[in-house]
Amino acid sequence: MNGQTAFPVPGVRLGIAAAGIKYAERDDLLLIELAEGGSCAGVFTRNAFCAAPVQLAKRHLQAGAPRYLLVNSGNANAGTGVQGMTDALRSCALVAQATGCEASQTLPFSTGVIGENLPMACFEAAIPKAQADLDENGWQRASRAIMTTDTRPKLISRQFQLDGETITVTGIAKGAGMIRPDMATMLAYLATDLAVQPALLQQCLEQAVHPSFNSISVDGDTSTNDACMLLASGVSPHAGVTDADSPAFNSLCEVVSEVCMELARELVRDAEGATKLVEILVSDAADEAEARQVAYTIAHSPLVKTALFASDPNWGRILAAVGRAGLQDLDIERIEIWLDDVCIVRDGERASDYTEEAGQRVMDQQEITIAVRLGRGAVESRVLTCDLSYDYVKINAEYRT
Amino acid sequence: MNGQTAFPVPGVRLGIAAAGIKYAERDDLLLIELAEGGSCAGVFTRNAFCAAPVQLAKRHLQAGAPRYLLVNSGNANAGTGVQGMTDALRSCALVAQATGCEASQTLPFSTGVIGENLPMACFEAAIPKAQADLDENGWQRASRAIMTTDTRPKLISRQFQLDGETITVTGIAKGAGMIRPDMATMLAYLATDLAVQPALLQQCLEQAVHPSFNSISVDGDTSTNDACMLLASGVSPHAGVTDADSPAFNSLCEVVSEVCMELARELVRDAEGATKLVEILVSDAADEAEARQVAYTIAHSPLVKTALFASDPNWGRILAAVGRAGLQDLDIERIEIWLDDVCIVRDGERASDYTEEAGQRVMDQQEITIAVRLGRGAVESRVLTCDLSYDYVKINAEYRT
C-alpha cells in the first residue's frame, strides 16, 4: 500500500504530530480539517461500552457544522467513565483554542488500550503542532499516525469525472484486532471535495459501509471505539449533490463503496497474524439475516480458521459450522459447499467428484472463497475474514493493545 | 484421573477391542451392554448436520428396549450421506449377530474425522472380540477407548446410600475439541444400577446436562456427533424410582448432576491446548437467555481467551465483550466485573480500588472465575471455558481430527 497514490482532497487538510501518548517519537495524533460549509457523515460502534470520544463525536456530529476530527492512537479512552468524558471534552477545547472554532465543532476519536486515562499533557503540547502542520498532502502520514498493531498503513484514493469536473475520494483506515465491526470499523476516514447535502452523505456512507466494513470479521470482537467518517468539503467547482436520484449521487456512492471495500479488504489482509484472505459467500438463502448468520458462524469458527492457516481442506469443519449456525428446518440434502471452483459437499455429503488434491490446490492459495448454497431462497451475502495463526495468539497474548 | 476408582455398575458390562479404525493396536471400539429390562435416556447434538449414527441412535432409542451401545473413535461417520447410514445400520446388525439381540436394540456412536466412510471390515472383525470381552470392570479401559485428541481419560464414579442399599453412578466422557455442546457433549456415558422409569431417567439426564455439558465451551464449535447417554440397569435390590417427587429421584438427580458436572470440568481442563479452567458467572440478569448470551460472548472472545493464556489482567477485553453481547438497553453504569474476589469494573469504569497487582494475582491462577453483574434482575448462569493457546492452533492446524 505504500506506493498507493494519495490524491489530495481540496478543502480537506491533515496535520500530524508525535504526541508521545504510548510511544515516544512516533506520529500518534492526527487533526483533520474540513473547509467551512462542508458536510460530514459518520457511523459508530454499537458496542454498549462505547468509548467517551465516540459518545462525544456522535453528539458533536448532531450539533452540526463539524470542522475538525481529532484522532489519537495508543489510548482508546474507553472504560474510563466520567474522567474519560472530561478528557474528551478537554481535547475538543484544545482544538478550539488552537484553531479558533467552537469546541463542539471538533469530533474526537481514540484507539489503543482500553481502561487508561488519556495523558492530557501530551494533547496540550501536540494539538498546536498538528494545527501548524495542516496540509492537503498529509494523507500518507495520516494513514501511519492512526496505526496501532497494524503492520502497514491502509490508504485508498480514487478520482472520477462528474459533469466535466474531476472529483476525488480518498480514505484511510486502521484495523488489526478486535475487529467485527457492527456499524463501521475502527477509524476509517474518507473525504471528497464534492458538495453533498448532509443527509445524502450519511446515506452514501451507510450504503458503502454495510457490504464493506460491516461485513468483515477478524475475531468476532466488536471494538468499543469503531467509527467511520465521510467528509465532503464542497470545494469542487461541481454544483454538488442534492438529490438521491441523481447520476452524481450514484457515481459518488459507487466510488465511496469501492474505497470502503478496498480499505476493508486491506484491514482483513493485515489482521493480526493473518496469512490468508477468505471470502465467505452464502447464497440461495431465504433472507439476508440467515445468510449472514451462516457466514459469520463459519468466519468465527476457530476450527475452520486453524484449518485455513494449515491450508488443510478439512471441509468437515465447514459443514459442522453450517450445521450449528442455528437455521430452523435446514434441509442438509439441499446444501452445497464450494472452495473456489471445487465442489466439496453436494446433497449434504461429500461430492462424488471431489478429490483431496483439488481441495488442496485451493487451500494452498492466499485468497480463498468458501461458498455455501443453502437452497432456501435467492438472497446472498458476503463476509470477509482471515485465518487463525500462531501469530494471532502471540500478538494478543504478549502485547496489551 | 487415572487413579479414579471406577465402581462397577451391576447390570452394565463393557467390552473393548482394538479395531484398527484409525490407528493400529489402539483400543478404539467399545460395546456397552445393559441388562434386560433396564432403561436408557439420551440427549443429542442439535447440529443440523448430525451424523448418521446420531440419527440412528435417536431412532433406536425411540423404538425402546435398547440393550447395547456401540462406540468407535477415529471416524465420526458424519457428512457421509446414504453410505453413512448404511454403515451405521450394518454396525448394529453386526452387534445383533454377535449377541443375539435385534439390530434396533443397538445404539451406535462414532467420533473422529468427519467425511470419511467407516471401515466396515474393522467392525466385522472387532465386534465379536468386544462382545467376548464384556465385563462389569471394563470402565477404565472404556474411558480410554473413546478418546481422540484427549490427553487423558475422563471417568467419575460415585456411590450413595438409598433406603439401605448402595447405589452406584459411574460415567465416562471424551472431549478435546469442537466443543460447545448444544444438547450434550460428544460421547458421555453414565450408568446406574437403580431401576428408573424411562421418562424419569430422561428428566434426570436433561436436568443434569443443562448446567454441566451444555454450559461448557472450548471453541464455540458444536460437534456433529454429540451424545450423552444415561443407563439404568435396575439390577439393584432397591425398589427403584417411579415418582418424580420421591426422595430417591432427588438423590439420583443430585449424584448424576455431580458426575456430569465433574466430567464436564474434566473436558474443559483437557481441552485442546488449554492451560486454564475459567468459570464465567453472569448474575443479576433479567433472564437466563441474556445471562448465557453475555457468558458465551466472553467465553468465545479470542481476545479474552488469549489474555487468559498470557495471564494478562486485560479487563478492557472483558468489558468490550460484555458491551458487544447484544443486550438491549444495557446500562453500563450498573455493571460490575470481578476476577475472583477482585472487583475490576464498577459503575461502568475501572473500580477505584483496583490495582494491577491484585488482577495479576488472580490471572496467575490455573482456575479463574470471571463474574459479571448486570444489574438487571435476579437470574444467574454459569459457563465453563478455557484459554486459547499456541497449542490449540498447533493441534488444529497440524492434525486432522
Side-chain angles (χ1 to χ4, degrees):
Chain A
M1 296 306 298
N2 300 352
Q4 176 88 29
T5 303
F7 301 111
V9 179
V12 175
R13 298 195 300 164
L14 305 101
I16 295 99
I21 293 165
K22 189 171 177 191
Y23 300 107
E25 293 168 38
R26 209 214 92 165
D27 286 344
D28 54 7
L29 193 91
L30 166 66
L31 187 66
I32 305 179
E33 181 193 65
L34 175 67
E36 202 157 353
S39 48
C40 177
V43 285
F44 301 91
T45 181
R46 286 191 184 125
N47 193 308
F49 272 104
C50 79
V54 174
Q55 297 172 41
L56 195 56
K58 281 176 171 171
R59 200 196 300 165
H60 286 179
L61 181 60
Q62 287 292 325
R67 291 292 313 283
Y68 293 92
L69 310 184
L70 177 69
V71 193
N72 72 272
S73 58
N75 185 316
N77 193 14
T80 44
V82 174
Q83 186 63 44
M85 184 51 79
T86 303
D87 291 344
L89 281 163
R90 169 96 179 114
S91 69
C92 295
L94 289 167
V95 173
Q97 234 172 60
T99 62
C101 73
E102 297 293 317
S104 63
Q105 292 182 290
T106 293
L107 278 51
F109 302 88
S110 298
T111 176
V113 67
I114 295 176
E116 292 183 7
N117 291 321
L118 284 187
M120 292 313 297
C122 300
F123 282 73
E124 283 162 23
I127 286 174
K129 288 182 196 162
Q131 192 276 332
D133 187 56
L134 285 169
D135 189 324
E136 282 190 354
N137 291 300
W139 287 99
Q140 297 277 14
R141 286 176 59 218
S143 70
R144 295 185 171 277
I146 61 175
M147 287 165 52
T148 53
T149 53
D150 306 66
T151 69
R152 51 182 186 265
K154 288 93 187 171
L155 190 161
I156 301 289
S157 191
R158 294 282 183 272
Q159 289 191 323
F160 64 107
Q161 297 299 313
L162 200 60
D163 308 320
E165 301 293 341
T166 299
I167 303 294
T168 301
V169 176
T170 296
I172 57 175
K174 62 82 56 186
M178 202 176 267
I179 294 188
R180 190 250 167 119
D182 186 22
M183 190 62 202
T185 197
M186 183 61 207
L187 304 199
Y189 302 96
L190 288 79
T192 180
D193 50 339
L194 192 64
V196 189
Q197 191 260 325
L200 292 179
L201 195 68
Q202 185 70 30
Q203 187 185 330
C204 169
L205 180 61
E206 289 177 10
Q207 282 175 10
V209 160
H210 182 70
S212 59
F213 296 120
N214 272 3
S215 295
I216 64 176
S217 181
V218 170
D219 45 19
D221 277 303
T222 303
S223 154
T224 48
N225 291 50
D226 287 351
C228 176
M229 307 300 297
L230 173 60
L231 306 177
S233 71
V235 160
S236 164
H238 189 280
V241 175
T242 52
D243 178 2
D245 294 323
S246 62
F249 185 63
N250 285 340
S251 299
L252 177 70
C253 286
E254 205 173 286
V255 177
V256 168
S257 290
E258 185 192 328
V259 170
C260 284
M261 188 60 83
E262 286 298 311
L263 286 172
R265 291 178 77 88
E266 282 304 307
L267 292 189
V268 178
R269 250 190 266 267
D270 190 32
E272 287 169 346
T275 71
K276 287 185 200 290
L277 179 70
V278 183
E279 179 171 274
I280 320 269
L281 167 61
V282 177
S283 61
D284 299 354
D287 55 41
E288 196 189 11
E290 71 172 36
R292 289 173 81 82
Q293 199 173 327
V294 170
Y296 276 118
T297 304
I298 298 169
H300 293 152
S301 162
L303 291 174
V304 172
K305 290 170 101 76
T306 47
L308 284 164
F309 171 52
S311 300
D312 179 4
N314 193 336
W315 56 269
R317 294 181 180 175
I318 302 171
L319 176 147
V322 174
R324 75 171 165 91
L327 265 51
Q328 290 297 308
D329 307 316
L330 183 66
D331 182 356
I332 64 168
E333 306 208 342
R334 306 193 66 171
I335 285 178
E336 286 183 15
I337 304 178
W338 295 68
L339 289 177
D340 278 13
D341 58 342
V342 176
C343 184
I344 49 178
V345 172
R346 185 178 286 123
D347 307 330
E349 62 183 296
R350 182 164 52 179
S352 55
D353 53 351
Y354 174 73
T355 64
E356 186 86 0
E357 294 66 37
Q360 190 63 58
R361 178 176 54 72
V362 178
M363 287 301 267
D364 286 339
Q365 298 165 185
Q366 279 204 311
E367 303 202 358
I368 297 167
T369 297
I370 298 173
V372 179
R373 293 188 189 156
L374 295 176
R376 292 157 67 93
V379 179
E380 69 172 43
S381 192
R382 287 160 201 271
V383 164
L384 275 182
T385 191
C386 59
D387 55 338
L388 172 59
S389 68
Y390 294 121
D391 280 352
Y392 179 90
V393 178
K394 185 182 165 91
I395 291 164
N396 285 298
E398 292 190 358
Y399 304 107
R400 189 180 293 199
T401 54
Chain B
M1 296 305 300
N2 301 353
Q4 177 87 29
T5 303
F7 301 111
V9 179
V12 175
R13 297 196 302 164
L14 304 101
I16 296 99
I21 292 166
K22 188 171 179 191
Y23 300 107
E25 293 169 38
R26 210 215 91 164
D27 286 345
D28 54 6
L29 194 91
L30 166 65
L31 188 65
I32 306 178
E33 182 193 65
L34 175 66
E36 202 158 352
S39 48
C40 177
V43 286
F44 301 91
T45 181
R46 284 190 187 129
N47 193 307
F49 273 102
C50 79
V54 174
Q55 296 171 40
L56 195 56
K58 281 176 171 172
R59 201 196 301 165
H60 286 180
L61 181 59
Q62 287 292 326
R67 291 291 314 283
Y68 293 93
L69 310 184
L70 176 69
V71 192
N72 74 271
S73 57
N75 185 316
N77 193 14
T80 44
V82 174
Q83 186 62 46
M85 184 51 79
T86 305
D87 292 344
L89 282 163
R90 169 97 181 112
S91 70
C92 296
L94 289 167
V95 173
Q97 233 171 61
T99 63
C101 73
E102 297 294 316
S104 64
Q105 292 182 291
T106 293
L107 279 50
F109 302 89
S110 297
T111 177
V113 67
I114 295 176
E116 292 182 8
N117 290 322
L118 283 186
M120 292 313 298
C122 300
F123 282 74
E124 283 162 22
I127 285 173
K129 288 182 197 163
Q131 192 277 331
D133 187 57
L134 286 169
D135 188 322
E136 283 189 355
N137 291 300
W139 286 98
Q140 297 276 15
R141 285 176 60 219
S143 69
R144 294 184 173 278
I146 62 175
M147 286 166 51
T148 53
T149 53
D150 306 66
T151 68
R152 50 181 186 264
K154 287 93 187 169
L155 190 161
I156 301 290
S157 191
R158 295 281 183 273
Q159 289 191 322
F160 63 107
Q161 297 300 313
L162 201 59
D163 307 320
E165 299 295 341
T166 298
I167 303 295
T168 300
V169 176
T170 296
I172 58 175
K174 62 83 55 186
M178 202 176 268
I179 294 188
R180 189 246 168 124
D182 186 23
M183 190 63 200
T185 197
M186 182 60 209
L187 305 198
Y189 302 96
L190 289 77
T192 180
D193 50 338
L194 193 63
V196 189
Q197 190 262 326
L200 292 179
L201 195 66
Q202 185 70 30
Q203 185 185 330
C204 168
L205 180 61
E206 289 176 11
Q207 282 175 9
V209 161
H210 182 70
S212 59
F213 297 120
N214 272 3
S215 295
I216 63 176
S217 181
V218 170
D219 45 19
D221 278 302
T222 304
S223 155
T224 48
N225 291 50
D226 286 352
C228 176
M229 307 299 298
L230 173 59
L231 306 176
S233 71
V235 160
S236 163
H238 188 279
V241 175
T242 52
D243 179 1
D245 294 323
S246 63
F249 184 62
N250 285 340
S251 298
L252 176 70
C253 286
E254 204 172 289
V255 177
V256 168
S257 290
E258 184 192 329
V259 171
C260 285
M261 187 61 83
E262 286 298 313
L263 286 172
R265 292 178 77 88
E266 282 305 307
L267 291 189
V268 179
R269 251 189 267 266
D270 190 32
E272 287 170 346
T275 72
K276 285 184 202 289
L277 180 70
V278 183
E279 179 170 276
I280 320 267
L281 166 62
V282 177
S283 61
D284 298 354
D287 56 41
E288 197 189 12
E290 70 171 36
R292 288 173 81 83
Q293 197 173 327
V294 171
Y296 275 119
T297 304
I298 298 168
H300 293 152
S301 163
L303 291 174
V304 172
K305 291 170 100 78
T306 47
L308 285 164
F309 171 52
S311 300
D312 179 4
N314 194 336
W315 55 270
R317 295 180 179 175
I318 302 171
L319 175 148
V322 174
R324 75 172 165 89
L327 267 51
Q328 291 297 308
D329 307 316
L330 183 66
D331 181 355
I332 64 168
E333 306 210 340
R334 304 193 67 171
I335 285 177
E336 286 182 17
I337 304 178
W338 295 68
L339 291 176
D340 279 12
D341 57 344
V342 177
C343 183
I344 50 177
V345 172
R346 184 179 287 123
D347 306 331
E349 61 184 296
R350 180 164 53 180
S352 55
D353 53 350
Y354 174 72
T355 63
E356 186 86 1
E357 294 66 40
Q360 190 63 59
R361 178 176 53 73
V362 177
M363 287 301 267
D364 286 339
Q365 299 165 183
Q366 281 205 312
E367 304 202 356
I368 297 167
T369 297
I370 297 174
V372 178
R373 294 187 188 156
L374 294 176
R376 290 157 68 93
V379 179
E380 68 172 44
S381 192
R382 287 161 203 270
V383 164
L384 274 182
T385 190
C386 60
D387 54 340
L388 171 60
S389 69
Y390 294 120
D391 280 353
Y392 179 89
V393 177
K394 186 182 166 90
I395 291 165
N396 285 299
E398 293 188 0
Y399 305 107
R400 189 179 294 200
T401 54

